[in-house]
PDB file of all heavy atoms in Angstrom:
ATOM      1  N   TYR A  27      33.424-139.703 182.251  1.00  0.00           N
ATOM      2  CA  TYR A  27      34.519-139.581 181.293  1.00  0.00           C
ATOM      3  C   TYR A  27      34.060-139.737 179.844  1.00  0.00           C
ATOM      4  O   TYR A  27      34.898-139.683 178.941  1.00  0.00           O
ATOM      5  CB  TYR A  27      35.587-140.644 181.575  1.00  0.00           C
ATOM      6  CG  TYR A  27      36.297-140.501 182.898  1.00  0.00           C
ATOM      7  CD1 TYR A  27      35.883-141.221 184.001  1.00  0.00           C
ATOM      8  CD2 TYR A  27      37.384-139.648 183.038  1.00  0.00           C
ATOM      9  CE1 TYR A  27      36.533-141.116 185.222  1.00  0.00           C
ATOM     10  CE2 TYR A  27      38.038-139.526 184.247  1.00  0.00           C
ATOM     11  CZ  TYR A  27      37.613-140.259 185.340  1.00  0.00           C
ATOM     12  OH  TYR A  27      38.261-140.141 186.542  1.00  0.00           O
ATOM     13  N   MET A  28      32.777-139.960 179.607  1.00  0.00           N
ATOM     14  CA  MET A  28      32.327-140.303 178.261  1.00  0.00           C
ATOM     15  C   MET A  28      32.650-139.236 177.227  1.00  0.00           C
ATOM     16  O   MET A  28      32.955-139.554 176.082  1.00  0.00           O
ATOM     17  CB  MET A  28      30.814-140.574 178.275  1.00  0.00           C
ATOM     18  CG  MET A  28      30.430-141.868 178.980  1.00  0.00           C
ATOM     19  SD  MET A  28      31.141-143.322 178.202  1.00  0.00           S
ATOM     20  CE  MET A  28      30.266-143.324 176.644  1.00  0.00           C
ATOM     21  N   ASP A  29      32.606-137.960 177.627  1.00  0.00           N
ATOM     22  CA  ASP A  29      32.880-136.900 176.661  1.00  0.00           C
ATOM     23  C   ASP A  29      34.362-136.802 176.311  1.00  0.00           C
ATOM     24  O   ASP A  29      34.735-136.083 175.388  1.00  0.00           O
ATOM     25  CB  ASP A  29      32.370-135.549 177.189  1.00  0.00           C
ATOM     26  CG  ASP A  29      33.005-135.177 178.519  1.00  0.00           C
ATOM     27  OD1 ASP A  29      33.515-136.084 179.207  1.00  0.00           O
ATOM     28  OD2 ASP A  29      32.981-133.979 178.872  1.00  0.00           O
ATOM     29  N   ARG A  30      35.225-137.515 177.033  1.00  0.00           N
ATOM     30  CA  ARG A  30      36.661-137.489 176.747  1.00  0.00           C
ATOM     31  C   ARG A  30      37.151-138.840 176.234  1.00  0.00           C
ATOM     32  O   ARG A  30      38.346-139.110 176.220  1.00  0.00           O
ATOM     33  CB  ARG A  30      37.441-137.113 178.008  1.00  0.00           C
ATOM     34  CG  ARG A  30      36.989-135.809 178.642  1.00  0.00           C
ATOM     35  CD  ARG A  30      38.105-135.144 179.441  1.00  0.00           C
ATOM     36  NE  ARG A  30      38.663-136.011 180.467  1.00  0.00           N
ATOM     37  CZ  ARG A  30      38.245-136.063 181.729  1.00  0.00           C
ATOM     38  NH1 ARG A  30      37.224-135.300 182.102  1.00  0.00           N
ATOM     39  NH2 ARG A  30      38.810-136.849 182.616  1.00  0.00           N
ATOM     40  N   LEU A  31      36.199-139.674 175.792  1.00  0.00           N
ATOM     41  CA  LEU A  31      36.509-141.049 175.441  1.00  0.00           C
ATOM     42  C   LEU A  31      37.542-141.159 174.327  1.00  0.00           C
ATOM     43  O   LEU A  31      38.440-142.006 174.369  1.00  0.00           O
ATOM     44  CB  LEU A  31      35.219-141.771 175.027  1.00  0.00           C
ATOM     45  CG  LEU A  31      35.327-143.264 174.730  1.00  0.00           C
ATOM     46  CD1 LEU A  31      35.786-144.026 175.955  1.00  0.00           C
ATOM     47  CD2 LEU A  31      33.990-143.799 174.239  1.00  0.00           C
ATOM     48  N   PHE A  32      37.449-140.293 173.319  1.00  0.00           N
ATOM     49  CA  PHE A  32      38.325-140.402 172.149  1.00  0.00           C
ATOM     50  C   PHE A  32      39.443-139.360 172.153  1.00  0.00           C
ATOM     51  O   PHE A  32      40.011-139.061 171.100  1.00  0.00           O
ATOM     52  CB  PHE A  32      37.489-140.278 170.870  1.00  0.00           C
ATOM     53  CG  PHE A  32      36.536-141.422 170.674  1.00  0.00           C
ATOM     54  CD1 PHE A  32      35.197-141.298 171.012  1.00  0.00           C
ATOM     55  CD2 PHE A  32      36.971-142.629 170.171  1.00  0.00           C
ATOM     56  CE1 PHE A  32      34.310-142.344 170.841  1.00  0.00           C
ATOM     57  CE2 PHE A  32      36.096-143.690 169.985  1.00  0.00           C
ATOM     58  CZ  PHE A  32      34.768-143.550 170.326  1.00  0.00           C
ATOM     59  N   GLU A  33      39.764-138.816 173.310  1.00  0.00           N
ATOM     60  CA  GLU A  33      40.862-137.860 173.406  1.00  0.00           C
ATOM     61  C   GLU A  33      42.175-138.599 173.652  1.00  0.00           C
ATOM     62  O   GLU A  33      42.205-139.603 174.377  1.00  0.00           O
ATOM     63  CB  GLU A  33      40.606-136.858 174.538  1.00  0.00           C
ATOM     64  CG  GLU A  33      39.446-135.915 174.266  1.00  0.00           C
ATOM     65  CD  GLU A  33      39.288-134.886 175.370  1.00  0.00           C
ATOM     66  OE1 GLU A  33      40.173-134.836 176.263  1.00  0.00           O
ATOM     67  OE2 GLU A  33      38.297-134.139 175.347  1.00  0.00           O
ATOM     68  N   PRO A  34      43.290-138.115 173.049  1.00  0.00           N
ATOM     69  CA  PRO A  34      44.578-138.789 173.245  1.00  0.00           C
ATOM     70  C   PRO A  34      45.000-138.786 174.712  1.00  0.00           C
ATOM     71  O   PRO A  34      44.755-137.828 175.443  1.00  0.00           O
ATOM     72  CB  PRO A  34      45.545-137.961 172.389  1.00  0.00           C
ATOM     73  CG  PRO A  34      44.683-137.256 171.397  1.00  0.00           C
ATOM     74  CD  PRO A  34      43.379-137.004 172.097  1.00  0.00           C
ATOM     75  N   PHE A  35      45.642-139.869 175.123  1.00  0.00           N
ATOM     76  CA  PHE A  35      46.206-140.058 176.462  1.00  0.00           C
ATOM     77  C   PHE A  35      45.141-140.047 177.558  1.00  0.00           C
ATOM     78  O   PHE A  35      45.461-139.896 178.723  1.00  0.00           O
ATOM     79  CB  PHE A  35      47.279-138.997 176.776  1.00  0.00           C
ATOM     80  CG  PHE A  35      48.429-139.005 175.819  1.00  0.00           C
ATOM     81  CD1 PHE A  35      48.539-138.032 174.830  1.00  0.00           C
ATOM     82  CD2 PHE A  35      49.397-139.995 175.895  1.00  0.00           C
ATOM     83  CE1 PHE A  35      49.603-138.047 173.939  1.00  0.00           C
ATOM     84  CE2 PHE A  35      50.463-140.018 175.000  1.00  0.00           C
ATOM     85  CZ  PHE A  35      50.563-139.045 174.025  1.00  0.00           C
ATOM     86  N   GLU A  36      43.876-140.232 177.195  1.00  0.00           N
ATOM     87  CA  GLU A  36      42.803-140.278 178.187  1.00  0.00           C
ATOM     88  C   GLU A  36      42.464-141.739 178.452  1.00  0.00           C
ATOM     89  O   GLU A  36      42.002-142.456 177.553  1.00  0.00           O
ATOM     90  CB  GLU A  36      41.567-139.531 177.667  1.00  0.00           C
ATOM     91  CG  GLU A  36      40.406-139.540 178.636  1.00  0.00           C
ATOM     92  CD  GLU A  36      40.763-138.961 179.980  1.00  0.00           C
ATOM     93  OE1 GLU A  36      41.101-137.763 180.039  1.00  0.00           O
ATOM     94  OE2 GLU A  36      40.733-139.715 180.973  1.00  0.00           O
ATOM     95  N   ARG A  37      42.657-142.199 179.705  1.00  0.00           N
ATOM     96  CA  ARG A  37      42.415-143.599 180.049  1.00  0.00           C
ATOM     97  C   ARG A  37      41.184-143.784 180.927  1.00  0.00           C
ATOM     98  O   ARG A  37      40.983-144.846 181.504  1.00  0.00           O
ATOM     99  CB  ARG A  37      43.645-144.206 180.728  1.00  0.00           C
ATOM    100  CG  ARG A  37      44.895-144.248 179.825  1.00  0.00           C
ATOM    101  CD  ARG A  37      45.882-145.246 180.345  1.00  0.00           C
ATOM    102  NE  ARG A  37      45.297-146.580 180.390  1.00  0.00           N
ATOM    103  CZ  ARG A  37      45.675-147.514 181.273  1.00  0.00           C
ATOM    104  NH1 ARG A  37      46.608-147.241 182.180  1.00  0.00           N
ATOM    105  NH2 ARG A  37      45.101-148.704 181.260  1.00  0.00           N
ATOM    106  N   LEU A  38      40.389-142.758 181.071  1.00  0.00           N
ATOM    107  CA  LEU A  38      39.106-142.842 181.764  1.00  0.00           C
ATOM    108  C   LEU A  38      39.247-143.347 183.199  1.00  0.00           C
ATOM    109  O   LEU A  38      38.436-144.134 183.690  1.00  0.00           O
ATOM    110  CB  LEU A  38      38.149-143.772 180.995  1.00  0.00           C
ATOM    111  CG  LEU A  38      37.971-143.487 179.500  1.00  0.00           C
ATOM    112  CD1 LEU A  38      36.962-144.443 178.899  1.00  0.00           C
ATOM    113  CD2 LEU A  38      37.577-142.061 179.263  1.00  0.00           C
ATOM    114  N   GLY A  39      40.311-142.903 183.865  1.00  0.00           N
ATOM    115  CA  GLY A  39      40.503-143.283 185.261  1.00  0.00           C
ATOM    116  C   GLY A  39      41.233-144.592 185.451  1.00  0.00           C
ATOM    117  O   GLY A  39      41.558-144.960 186.583  1.00  0.00           O
ATOM    118  N   ALA A  40      41.508-145.329 184.375  1.00  0.00           N
ATOM    119  CA  ALA A  40      42.162-146.632 184.500  1.00  0.00           C
ATOM    120  C   ALA A  40      43.663-146.516 184.733  1.00  0.00           C
ATOM    121  O   ALA A  40      44.332-147.521 184.964  1.00  0.00           O
ATOM    122  CB  ALA A  40      41.907-147.467 183.239  1.00  0.00           C
ATOM    123  N   GLU A  41      44.201-145.281 184.650  1.00  0.00           N
ATOM    124  CA  GLU A  41      45.644-145.123 184.850  1.00  0.00           C
ATOM    125  C   GLU A  41      46.079-145.493 186.257  1.00  0.00           C
ATOM    126  O   GLU A  41      47.265-145.743 186.511  1.00  0.00           O
ATOM    127  CB  GLU A  41      46.065-143.681 184.528  1.00  0.00           C
ATOM    128  CG  GLU A  41      45.400-142.622 185.387  1.00  0.00           C
ATOM    129  CD  GLU A  41      44.080-142.166 184.818  1.00  0.00           C
ATOM    130  OE1 GLU A  41      43.608-142.778 183.847  1.00  0.00           O
ATOM    131  OE2 GLU A  41      43.513-141.197 185.364  1.00  0.00           O
ATOM    132  N   GLN A  42      45.126-145.530 187.209  1.00  0.00           N
ATOM    133  CA  GLN A  42      45.451-145.905 188.579  1.00  0.00           C
ATOM    134  C   GLN A  42      45.375-147.415 188.793  1.00  0.00           C
ATOM    135  O   GLN A  42      45.746-147.898 189.863  1.00  0.00           O
ATOM    136  CB  GLN A  42      44.490-145.202 189.561  1.00  0.00           C
ATOM    137  CG  GLN A  42      44.411-143.695 189.398  1.00  0.00           C
ATOM    138  CD  GLN A  42      45.751-143.017 189.631  1.00  0.00           C
ATOM    139  OE1 GLN A  42      46.553-143.497 190.431  1.00  0.00           O
ATOM    140  NE2 GLN A  42      46.000-141.919 188.940  1.00  0.00           N
ATOM    141  N   GLY A  43      44.899-148.148 187.811  1.00  0.00           N
ATOM    142  CA  GLY A  43      44.718-149.586 187.971  1.00  0.00           C
ATOM    143  C   GLY A  43      45.880-150.380 187.416  1.00  0.00           C
ATOM    144  O   GLY A  43      46.870-149.834 186.924  1.00  0.00           O
ATOM    145  N   PRO A  44      45.782-151.709 187.462  1.00  0.00           N
ATOM    146  CA  PRO A  44      46.888-152.575 187.020  1.00  0.00           C
ATOM    147  C   PRO A  44      46.933-152.800 185.512  1.00  0.00           C
ATOM    148  O   PRO A  44      47.889-153.386 185.009  1.00  0.00           O
ATOM    149  CB  PRO A  44      46.581-153.882 187.752  1.00  0.00           C
ATOM    150  CG  PRO A  44      45.090-153.905 187.870  1.00  0.00           C
ATOM    151  CD  PRO A  44      44.671-152.480 188.044  1.00  0.00           C
ATOM    152  N   ILE A  45      45.907-152.357 184.759  1.00  0.00           N
ATOM    153  CA  ILE A  45      45.840-152.637 183.325  1.00  0.00           C
ATOM    154  C   ILE A  45      46.730-151.662 182.564  1.00  0.00           C
ATOM    155  O   ILE A  45      46.609-150.446 182.710  1.00  0.00           O
ATOM    156  CB  ILE A  45      44.390-152.542 182.818  1.00  0.00           C
ATOM    157  CG1 ILE A  45      43.502-153.530 183.578  1.00  0.00           C
ATOM    158  CG2 ILE A  45      44.324-152.823 181.331  1.00  0.00           C
ATOM    159  CD1 ILE A  45      42.035-153.420 183.220  1.00  0.00           C
ATOM    160  N   GLU A  46      47.637-152.225 181.744  1.00  0.00           N
ATOM    161  CA  GLU A  46      48.538-151.385 180.962  1.00  0.00           C
ATOM    162  C   GLU A  46      47.792-150.726 179.813  1.00  0.00           C
ATOM    163  O   GLU A  46      46.828-151.268 179.269  1.00  0.00           O
ATOM    164  CB  GLU A  46      49.696-152.221 180.415  1.00  0.00           C
ATOM    165  CG  GLU A  46      50.654-152.758 181.472  1.00  0.00           C
ATOM    166  CD  GLU A  46      51.807-153.510 180.841  1.00  0.00           C
ATOM    167  OE1 GLU A  46      51.756-153.759 179.624  1.00  0.00           O
ATOM    168  OE2 GLU A  46      52.748-153.848 181.563  1.00  0.00           O
ATOM    169  N   GLY A  47      48.274-149.556 179.426  1.00  0.00           N
ATOM    170  CA  GLY A  47      47.676-148.848 178.290  1.00  0.00           C
ATOM    171  C   GLY A  47      48.326-147.496 178.122  1.00  0.00           C
ATOM    172  O   GLY A  47      49.015-146.994 179.010  1.00  0.00           O
ATOM    173  N   THR A  48      48.101-146.911 176.943  1.00  0.00           N
ATOM    174  CA  THR A  48      48.684-145.595 176.637  1.00  0.00           C
ATOM    175  C   THR A  48      47.623-144.506 176.548  1.00  0.00           C
ATOM    176  O   THR A  48      47.949-143.326 176.614  1.00  0.00           O
ATOM    177  CB  THR A  48      49.436-145.646 175.299  1.00  0.00           C
ATOM    178  OG1 THR A  48      48.518-145.954 174.244  1.00  0.00           O
ATOM    179  CG2 THR A  48      50.530-146.706 175.343  1.00  0.00           C
ATOM    180  N   GLY A  49      46.352-144.882 176.364  1.00  0.00           N
ATOM    181  CA  GLY A  49      45.316-143.882 176.173  1.00  0.00           C
ATOM    182  C   GLY A  49      45.294-143.305 174.774  1.00  0.00           C
ATOM    183  O   GLY A  49      44.639-142.290 174.521  1.00  0.00           O
ATOM    184  N   LEU A  50      46.005-143.949 173.840  1.00  0.00           N
ATOM    185  CA  LEU A  50      46.048-143.454 172.462  1.00  0.00           C
ATOM    186  C   LEU A  50      45.201-144.292 171.510  1.00  0.00           C
ATOM    187  O   LEU A  50      44.869-143.852 170.410  1.00  0.00           O
ATOM    188  CB  LEU A  50      47.495-143.437 171.948  1.00  0.00           C
ATOM    189  CG  LEU A  50      48.425-142.403 172.561  1.00  0.00           C
ATOM    190  CD1 LEU A  50      49.847-142.622 172.067  1.00  0.00           C
ATOM    191  CD2 LEU A  50      47.971-141.006 172.221  1.00  0.00           C
ATOM    192  N   GLY A  51      44.856-145.521 171.914  1.00  0.00           N
ATOM    193  CA  GLY A  51      44.219-146.446 170.989  1.00  0.00           C
ATOM    194  C   GLY A  51      42.900-145.956 170.427  1.00  0.00           C
ATOM    195  O   GLY A  51      42.679-146.003 169.211  1.00  0.00           O
ATOM    196  N   LEU A  52      41.995-145.478 171.288  1.00  0.00           N
ATOM    197  CA  LEU A  52      40.681-145.042 170.802  1.00  0.00           C
ATOM    198  C   LEU A  52      40.791-143.772 169.963  1.00  0.00           C
ATOM    199  O   LEU A  52      40.100-143.622 168.951  1.00  0.00           O
ATOM    200  CB  LEU A  52      39.739-144.824 171.978  1.00  0.00           C
ATOM    201  CG  LEU A  52      39.243-146.094 172.684  1.00  0.00           C
ATOM    202  CD1 LEU A  52      38.333-145.738 173.850  1.00  0.00           C
ATOM    203  CD2 LEU A  52      38.512-147.007 171.702  1.00  0.00           C
ATOM    204  N   ALA A  53      41.644-142.840 170.387  1.00  0.00           N
ATOM    205  CA  ALA A  53      41.825-141.608 169.615  1.00  0.00           C
ATOM    206  C   ALA A  53      42.347-141.922 168.222  1.00  0.00           C
ATOM    207  O   ALA A  53      41.868-141.383 167.211  1.00  0.00           O
ATOM    208  CB  ALA A  53      42.772-140.659 170.349  1.00  0.00           C
ATOM    209  N   LEU A  54      43.342-142.811 168.149  1.00  0.00           N
ATOM    210  CA  LEU A  54      43.898-143.185 166.850  1.00  0.00           C
ATOM    211  C   LEU A  54      42.878-143.959 166.029  1.00  0.00           C
ATOM    212  O   LEU A  54      42.744-143.739 164.822  1.00  0.00           O
ATOM    213  CB  LEU A  54      45.166-144.019 167.061  1.00  0.00           C
ATOM    214  CG  LEU A  54      45.876-144.520 165.808  1.00  0.00           C
ATOM    215  CD1 LEU A  54      46.280-143.351 164.921  1.00  0.00           C
ATOM    216  CD2 LEU A  54      47.089-145.362 166.179  1.00  0.00           C
ATOM    217  N   SER A  55      42.133-144.854 166.670  1.00  0.00           N
ATOM    218  CA  SER A  55      41.137-145.652 165.939  1.00  0.00           C
ATOM    219  C   SER A  55      40.079-144.760 165.312  1.00  0.00           C
ATOM    220  O   SER A  55      39.688-144.961 164.154  1.00  0.00           O
ATOM    221  CB  SER A  55      40.481-146.657 166.895  1.00  0.00           C
ATOM    222  OG  SER A  55      41.427-147.593 167.366  1.00  0.00           O
ATOM    223  N   MET A  56      39.594-143.772 166.065  1.00  0.00           N
ATOM    224  CA  MET A  56      38.570-142.882 165.523  1.00  0.00           C
ATOM    225  C   MET A  56      39.086-142.134 164.296  1.00  0.00           C
ATOM    226  O   MET A  56      38.395-142.054 163.261  1.00  0.00           O
ATOM    227  CB  MET A  56      38.123-141.883 166.583  1.00  0.00           C
ATOM    228  CG  MET A  56      36.991-140.975 166.108  1.00  0.00           C
ATOM    229  SD  MET A  56      36.553-139.681 167.293  1.00  0.00           S
ATOM    230  CE  MET A  56      38.009-138.639 167.190  1.00  0.00           C
ATOM    231  N   GLN A  57      40.299-141.622 164.371  1.00  0.00           N
ATOM    232  CA  GLN A  57      40.827-140.860 163.241  1.00  0.00           C
ATOM    233  C   GLN A  57      41.105-141.765 162.052  1.00  0.00           C
ATOM    234  O   GLN A  57      40.900-141.363 160.899  1.00  0.00           O
ATOM    235  CB  GLN A  57      42.084-140.112 163.682  1.00  0.00           C
ATOM    236  CG  GLN A  57      41.798-139.092 164.777  1.00  0.00           C
ATOM    237  CD  GLN A  57      42.926-138.107 164.975  1.00  0.00           C
ATOM    238  OE1 GLN A  57      43.420-137.494 164.030  1.00  0.00           O
ATOM    239  NE2 GLN A  57      43.347-137.933 166.221  1.00  0.00           N
ATOM    240  N   LEU A  58      41.573-142.995 162.287  1.00  0.00           N
ATOM    241  CA  LEU A  58      41.808-143.915 161.176  1.00  0.00           C
ATOM    242  C   LEU A  58      40.494-144.281 160.489  1.00  0.00           C
ATOM    243  O   LEU A  58      40.418-144.316 159.257  1.00  0.00           O
ATOM    244  CB  LEU A  58      42.505-145.179 161.685  1.00  0.00           C
ATOM    245  CG  LEU A  58      43.973-145.038 162.072  1.00  0.00           C
ATOM    246  CD1 LEU A  58      44.496-146.334 162.684  1.00  0.00           C
ATOM    247  CD2 LEU A  58      44.829-144.641 160.878  1.00  0.00           C
ATOM    248  N   VAL A  59      39.462-144.560 161.272  1.00  0.00           N
ATOM    249  CA  VAL A  59      38.165-144.903 160.677  1.00  0.00           C
ATOM    250  C   VAL A  59      37.624-143.734 159.864  1.00  0.00           C
ATOM    251  O   VAL A  59      37.095-143.919 158.760  1.00  0.00           O
ATOM    252  CB  VAL A  59      37.170-145.320 161.778  1.00  0.00           C
ATOM    253  CG1 VAL A  59      35.753-145.448 161.208  1.00  0.00           C
ATOM    254  CG2 VAL A  59      37.586-146.643 162.400  1.00  0.00           C
ATOM    255  N   GLU A  60      37.753-142.527 160.377  1.00  0.00           N
ATOM    256  CA  GLU A  60      37.272-141.356 159.639  1.00  0.00           C
ATOM    257  C   GLU A  60      38.066-141.147 158.357  1.00  0.00           C
ATOM    258  O   GLU A  60      37.503-140.748 157.332  1.00  0.00           O
ATOM    259  CB  GLU A  60      37.336-140.125 160.537  1.00  0.00           C
ATOM    260  CG  GLU A  60      36.295-140.157 161.666  1.00  0.00           C
ATOM    261  CD  GLU A  60      36.396-138.950 162.579  1.00  0.00           C
ATOM    262  OE1 GLU A  60      37.382-138.186 162.452  1.00  0.00           O
ATOM    263  OE2 GLU A  60      35.495-138.772 163.430  1.00  0.00           O
ATOM    264  N   LEU A  61      39.380-141.404 158.393  1.00  0.00           N
ATOM    265  CA  LEU A  61      40.179-141.282 157.176  1.00  0.00           C
ATOM    266  C   LEU A  61      39.748-142.300 156.126  1.00  0.00           C
ATOM    267  O   LEU A  61      39.889-142.053 154.919  1.00  0.00           O
ATOM    268  CB  LEU A  61      41.665-141.476 157.503  1.00  0.00           C
ATOM    269  CG  LEU A  61      42.387-140.305 158.160  1.00  0.00           C
ATOM    270  CD1 LEU A  61      43.814-140.696 158.511  1.00  0.00           C
ATOM    271  CD2 LEU A  61      42.404-139.086 157.238  1.00  0.00           C
ATOM    272  N   MET A  62      39.208-143.442 156.556  1.00  0.00           N
ATOM    273  CA  MET A  62      38.736-144.457 155.613  1.00  0.00           C
ATOM    274  C   MET A  62      37.299-144.212 155.171  1.00  0.00           C
ATOM    275  O   MET A  62      36.691-145.049 154.509  1.00  0.00           O
ATOM    276  CB  MET A  62      38.871-145.849 156.241  1.00  0.00           C
ATOM    277  CG  MET A  62      40.312-146.299 156.417  1.00  0.00           C
ATOM    278  SD  MET A  62      40.486-148.016 157.009  1.00  0.00           S
ATOM    279  CE  MET A  62      40.009-147.852 158.734  1.00  0.00           C
TER     280      MET A  62
END
């Protein structure tokens, strides 16, 4: 999944597990850092 790490809504297979998440955090973080 490494090539899809920073894509929106991509949870790298964790969507089947008990850990909550949206898959947006890394995608948003990358774009915010680049904007800065």
Side-chain angles (χ1 to χ4, degrees):
Y27 295 96
M28 289 299 293
D29 58 340
R30 305 206 304 268
L31 185 61
F32 294 99
E33 292 184 7
F35 301 104
E36 180 57 63
R37 297 200 60 209
L38 309 182
E41 60 272 8
Q42 307 299 328
I45 301 175
E46 293 183 351
T48 62
L50 290 173
L52 288 179
L54 179 59
S55 295
M56 183 185 70
Q57 297 195 50
L58 287 174
V59 170
E60 290 178 350
L61 283 176
M62 291 186 286

